[in-house]
């Protein structure tokens, strides 16, 4: 017998126009039977839609199909940012993925992080946390493995990435103590993430691939006894390598000459930076920092010093993941 209950919480989010305003973060708890507890989360950044839409579908679907364990669904972890369609929280400009800093909390965003760290993370063994490129970037549909600090290699991660079913898997290394990976690491929670789509838009296809990936992860974790779909064999891209990210050091209008998924050589021209309002400015060609596949591309043409324009890395076998630890 599946038991469904709401575990919403609210956090103060005062603005100049609303002194005692509070924002509600929706949480659904679905208990099937003894077994692992898993959280499926999206909307840590409010403008990343695939995971938010997919978890909203599971909000209605999962109570009818969960067979074992407990699942917490958080379709919009930063509810204020989701409602505004922004990456950061409107009331305090906070980045929820940098706000897990412990007491005392300084405003709405850190209050949400503190609630997640004290109320959710101690109750779960695994977390699937879906992101996307948001307004400014587009990603190839990828599962994500983030190693925080000196976390040891966890042999369950490649199986979980395969169960997500996406053809790509990117590897990051996290160093900020206030990130969600850091908080999950502190509490020993197994964590897989994803980067799916972006560019201030989404599609039904991407949402359904995300939903099916989340169901595949629940099957891999033993919460669904139905056979998981055929596992993918995703290629692995090490985005921790310094040459994996191209940032502009000048302002201009970015004209990409490559597409997501395209393979390039080191030094190949991947686009140009132009300045139409200053026609005497020489046209600047941009070179790929290394050979590989374009896995992330900036979605906004107007760019400034420090903006990420693309990420590129050679496709590795997922079997090589352990060598990155
Ligand atoms: Zn994000």
């Amino acid at each position: 017998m599946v038991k469904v209950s709401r575990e919403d919480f609210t956090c103060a989010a005062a603005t100049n126009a609303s002194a005692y305003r509070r924002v509600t973060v929706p949480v659904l708890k679905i208990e099937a039977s003894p077994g692992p507890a898993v959280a499926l989360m999206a909307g840590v950044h409010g403008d990343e839609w695939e995971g938010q839409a997919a978890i909203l579908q599971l909000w209605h679907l999962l109570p009818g199909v969960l067979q074992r364990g407990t699942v917490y669904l958080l379709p919009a972890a930063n509810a204020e940012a989701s409602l505004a369609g922004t990456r950061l929280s409107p009331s305090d400009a906070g980045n929820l993925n940098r706000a897990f800093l412990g007491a005392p909390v300084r405003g709405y965003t850190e209050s949400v992080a503190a609630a997640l760290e004290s109320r959710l993370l101690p109750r779960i063994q695994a977390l699937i946390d879906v992101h996307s490129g948001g307004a400014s970037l587009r990603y190839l549909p990828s599962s994500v493995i983030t190693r925080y600090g000196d976390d040891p290699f966890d042999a369950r991660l490649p199986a979980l990435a395969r169960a997500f079913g996406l053809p790509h898997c990117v590897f990051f290394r996290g160093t900020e103590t206030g990130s969600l990976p850091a908080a999950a690491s502190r509490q020993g929670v197994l964590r897989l993430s994803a980067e799916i789509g972006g560019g201030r838009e989404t599609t039904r296809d991407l949402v359904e691939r995300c939903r099916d990936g989340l169901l595949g992860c629940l099957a891999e974790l033993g919460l669904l006894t139905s056979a998981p779909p055929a596992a993918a064999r995703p290629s692995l891209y090490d985005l921790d390598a310094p040459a994996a990210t191209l940032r502009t050091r000048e302002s201009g209008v970015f004209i990409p000459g490559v597409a997501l998924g395209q393979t390039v050589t080191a030094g190949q021209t991947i686009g140009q930076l132009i300045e139409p309002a200053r026609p005497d400015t020489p046209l600047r060609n941009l070179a790929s920092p290394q050979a590989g596949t374009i896995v992330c591309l900036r979605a906004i043409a107007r760019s400034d010093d420090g903006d990420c324009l693309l990420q590129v890395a050679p496709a590795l076998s997922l079997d090589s993941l352990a060598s990155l630890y």
Side-chain angles (χ1 to χ4, degrees):
M1 182 67 184
V2 172
K3 182 180 169 194
V4 178
S5 56
R6 293 289 289 266
E7 302 250 332
D8 300 5
F9 60 91
T10 70
C11 293
T15 66
N16 286 328
S18 183
Y20 302 141
R21 175 171 173 261
R22 297 189 73 86
V23 172
T24 298
V25 177
V27 184
L28 192 69
K29 180 182 184 183
I30 310 166
E31 297 172 87
S33 69
V38 179
L40 306 181
M41 184 185 298
V44 166
H45 296 127
D47 63 349
E48 302 175 355
W49 302 114
E50 291 74 16
Q52 297 190 53
I55 293 174
L56 184 60
Q57 289 190 13
L58 295 179
W59 186 284
H60 303 288
L61 171 72
L62 206 52
V65 301
L66 188 68
Q67 289 158 321
R68 187 167 165 260
T70 300
V71 176
Y72 296 88
L73 296 178
L74 291 89
N78 189 340
E80 189 196 40
S82 174
L83 289 165
T86 55
R87 177 176 180 83
L88 308 179
S89 311
S91 59
D92 63 4
N95 178 349
L96 181 55
N97 209 20
R98 300 290 181 273
F100 290 79
L101 297 166
V105 300
R106 300 167 301 176
Y108 161 79
T109 310
E110 290 182 18
S111 297
V112 175
L116 295 174
E117 187 153 16
S118 65
R119 300 160 56 128
L120 179 72
L121 295 183
R123 297 158 74 180
I124 59 174
Q125 288 79 55
L127 167 66
I128 315 294
D129 166 36
V130 182
H131 289 250
S132 89
S136 68
L137 301 171
R138 289 194 180 89
Y139 269 94
L140 282 181
S142 306
S143 53
V144 173
I145 293 170
T146 302
R147 180 187 187 190
Y148 174 69
D150 293 323
D151 278 352
F153 173 64
D154 188 323
R156 296 172 294 177
L157 280 171
L160 208 50
R162 280 194 290 273
F164 209 113
L166 297 173
H168 311 281
C169 179
V170 302
F171 174 83
F172 293 110
R173 184 190 294 268
T175 55
E176 295 98 342
T177 55
S179 69
L180 181 54
S185 175
R186 284 193 288 274
Q187 303 212 26
V189 174
L190 175 69
R191 178 180 171 275
L192 184 78
S193 187
E195 294 282 1
I196 304 175
R200 213 175 242 149
E201 63 189 11
T202 189
T203 65
R204 185 173 64 187
D205 175 63
L206 286 175
V207 171
E208 290 178 350
R209 290 169 76 183
C210 181
R211 177 201 62 201
D212 293 347
L214 292 168
L215 289 170
C217 289
L218 291 181
E220 174 64 27
L221 292 165
L223 280 75
L224 299 173
T225 54
S226 54
R233 294 202 63 79
S235 298
L236 179 68
Y237 305 90
D238 177 10
L239 298 187
D240 185 47
T245 299
L246 175 65
R247 291 187 175 82
T248 177
R249 289 182 290 183
E250 305 169 279
S251 63
V253 176
F254 177 43
I255 312 290
V258 292
L260 276 178
Q262 184 174 333
T263 302
V264 298
T265 57
Q268 179 177 332
T269 298
I270 56 83
Q272 296 168 331
L273 212 56
I274 63 169
E275 197 56 273
R278 298 288 179 266
D280 298 325
T281 303
L283 179 151
R284 292 152 288 175
N285 283 321
L286 299 162
S288 178
Q290 66 176 353
T293 303
I294 308 287
V295 298
C296 173
L297 201 53
R298 182 167 168 82
I300 299 175
R302 169 57 67 185
S303 303
D304 284 313
D305 180 20
D307 287 341
C308 169
L309 299 181
L310 63 74
Q311 291 180 301
V312 57
L316 309 171
S317 164
L318 189 60
D319 297 336
S320 65
L321 179 66
S323 69
L324 300 176
Y325 285 75

